[in-house]
Amino acid sequence: MNDPVSDPVSGAEDGPTDAPLRTWRRLADTAVLLDGFHALKHAVRFGADVPVAVTADRTAALALADDLAPDVRDRLADLLQEVPQETYRTLVPRPHPTAVAALAVRPSRAAQLAVLAHTPRTAPVVVLDNPRNLGNAGAVIRLAAGFGATGVVTTGTLDPWHPTVVRGGAGLHFATAVEHLEVADLPPGPLFALDPEGDDIRGLKLPDDAVLAFGSERSGLSTELRARADHLLSLPMRPQVSSYNLATSVAMTLYHWSLGAS
């Protein structure tokens, strides 16, 4: 086990073992917070650059790796440095049950945009049009990664790399392209927007290069995105049921695409 690292708040240094905390303090304002074991596991699995990772219980964290992530266990063993519980709590806004946290380098915007713009695509791009709920956005990114979508784009004011979004996405931002764009700059491809007044999705096969747009949880599609849509689609829904959760709508749509994917 690594020697515990001293508490940065107390100011006590412990020689070279304090290096992870110095790295954390240096990168905290610009790096992506990986909050919890599963976020770190996924980020490492999908090639994230992780300069620093800490845990309040290294033995427990590596036991999780043995059970849940043997493919990256050795990498996690190299990364994880143990710190006192009180030190760990100063590094995160809300302690995770696994007592693991790390910082990752955010992928370059240019690289992400290149992935989104590349054609031909083999899987759709998901667009969240002016989303408001950080947790919902994270759940959608997790879904998109699971389905192998090309990426997730947000419009409006929500930052898709906000720590709460990354927590909700369980670190799977690194498994798909995630960026913020204006509606006018959306990736190429036929734009299918989900709307209660649209055609039943069950009557249409979604192409691999589709751009799938979902409106805000409160107000639906923006006027600008609706005007750009090539097709309006609706999901099957029992009468008098108001709506589906955003992540549920995305899951249903991606599943429908997957049934006909080439």
Side-chain angles (χ1 to χ4, degrees):
M1 177 185 296
N2 289 356
D3 292 334
V5 182
S6 60
D7 187 340
V9 176
S10 70
E13 302 282 329
D14 190 16
T17 61
D18 192 55
L21 297 182
R22 290 196 298 269
T23 301
W24 190 286
R25 292 192 290 268
R26 177 170 55 85
L27 299 176
D29 291 339
T30 58
V32 178
L33 174 63
L34 301 174
D35 199 1
F37 173 83
H38 300 291
L40 175 60
K41 168 194 72 178
H42 283 136
V44 170
R45 183 174 284 160
F46 289 99
D49 180 1
V50 181
V52 58
V54 299
T55 177
D57 189 338
R58 190 171 185 273
T59 299
L62 293 181
L64 280 176
D66 288 332
D67 289 342
L68 303 176
D71 57 314
V72 294
R73 196 271 184 197
D74 290 346
R75 176 65 175 139
L76 294 177
D78 289 339
L79 282 171
L80 284 165
Q81 297 284 332
E82 185 166 293
V83 298
Q85 180 71 236
E86 59 272 21
T87 301
Y88 160 73
R89 289 177 176 273
T90 69
L91 302 178
V92 294
R94 180 176 52 157
H96 192 276
T98 59
V100 170
L103 296 179
V105 177
R106 178 170 172 172
S108 76
R109 180 171 171 84
Q112 299 281 78
L113 293 179
V115 171
L116 293 167
H118 179 76
T119 56
R121 283 196 300 269
T122 58
V125 171
V126 173
V127 175
L128 303 183
D129 185 28
N130 198 26
R132 302 303 179 91
N133 186 284
L134 296 166
N136 281 348
V140 167
I141 291 166
R142 189 171 185 173
L143 275 167
F147 274 100
T150 295
V152 177
V153 170
T154 62
T155 71
T157 59
L158 184 144
D159 175 10
W161 286 86
H162 186 283
T164 302
V165 182
V166 177
R167 182 172 178 139
L172 284 163
H173 283 60
F174 295 92
T176 189
V178 178
E179 271 300 337
H180 175 275
L181 290 171
E182 300 298 327
V183 171
D185 300 324
L186 291 178
L191 180 56
F192 295 83
L194 277 290
D195 184 88
E197 303 303 318
D199 297 327
D200 192 319
I201 194 172
R202 291 172 291 184
L204 180 71
K205 177 181 177 180
L206 294 173
D208 293 344
D209 64 347
V211 178
L212 306 174
F214 301 82
S216 164
E217 299 93 336
R218 294 183 181 179
S219 55
L221 296 168
S222 66
T223 301
E224 185 180 6
L225 193 142
R226 184 187 292 271
R228 286 204 57 190
D230 298 301
H231 307 276
L232 292 180
L233 299 178
S234 64
L235 295 168
M237 185 183 299
R238 180 180 177 180
Q240 299 184 317
V241 174
S242 300
S243 65
Y244 293 120
N245 172 271
L246 176 60
T248 299
S249 296
V250 175
M252 293 173 69
T253 304
L254 286 174
Y255 181 71
H256 179 77
W257 161 73
S258 72
L259 292 178
S262 56

